[in-house]
Amino acid sequence: MPLAREAVELLVQAARAWYFEGNRHGLRDREWMALRFLGRANRFSRTPSALAGFIGATRATASQIVKTLESKSFLVRKPSHEDKRSVVLHVTSQGEKCLSQHDPINHVVNAVTSLGTEECIRLRDSLREILNHLDAAHQRLEASICRDCMFLAERGPATSKGRGTAEFMCRLYRAPISLDETELLCTSFERTRDRPKIEQHLDRDRMASQG
Ligand code: SF4
């Protein structure tokens, strides 16, 4: 069997590991997907319409999912700071606890973690490279992390010393972005072709902390 096909088949098998019928810990697959996304999304993407786009559902379906998550106290709506007519969805501490204890993808995350930092970085980079090829074939991503986005501009130093106070700017929303926010998901993301500088600092820190 060609090596590439074998690798893709393994990828498909790995992906099957987090699909399930019915519900787990009281949530169906799409509800888990929504809670997971909202737990990782930045302030521009924690809206009902961004959620609908991410999970590939209608606004009505997304709104039903939000109601279910609210009824379980995993989610609350708050008025947006930027636009008082809009709402922002916030995952509660109960929702975060549920994600950390019961998210069906946790066992896959644990399996990847067991590879070790260096192998994890290699796997991430290979998957990113694959996504770049798929992007080129017009397979648009629903969301990805801010630090890989072409709209992210560096405003302050991102040296390992000054990292805590480094500032960034989103050129699309014309808004400041903190270093922590560069790790969050955004549905307005557009992939940059250059390897992000911030990532090199983070990877260096990860390798150093591994010893
Ligand atoms: S830089 Fe890109 S990913 Fe980050 S907030 Fe702006 S549009 Fe979203």
Side-chain angles (χ1 to χ4, degrees), residues 42-45 144-153 169-177 181-182 184-190:
N42 69 9
R43 63 192 194 274
F44 309 111
S45 302
S144 196
I145 54 173
C146 196
R147 67 159 192 259
D148 294 355
C149 177
M150 62 185 287
F151 297 119
L152 189 71
M169 188 78 192
C170 169
R171 289 182 283 131
L172 181 70
Y173 289 108
R174 296 175 189 277
I177 303 282
E181 286 177 306
T182 65
L184 301 180
L185 294 172
C186 180
T187 51
S188 302
F189 167 92
E190 291 284 343

Side-chain angles (χ1 to χ4, degrees), residues 13-46:
Q13 270 183 43
R16 280 204 200 112
W18 61 80
Y19 287 135
F20 59 88
E21 298 288 334
N23 72 64
R24 285 203 187 158
H25 296 280
L27 296 181
R28 288 172 300 157
D29 190 46
R30 253 190 181 172
E31 291 158 355
W32 273 114
M33 194 177 173
L35 185 61
R36 190 181 303 131
F37 168 69
L38 292 169
R40 288 265 295 123
N42 69 9
R43 63 192 194 274
F44 309 111
S45 302
R46 287 198 306 268

Side-chain angles (χ1 to χ4, degrees), residues 57 108 192:
V108 185
T192 178

Side-chain angles (χ1 to χ4, degrees), residues 115-118 205-211:
L115 295 173
T117 308
E118 218 174 319
D205 288 355
R206 283 173 180 138
M207 295 294 291
S209 69
Q210 194 193 27

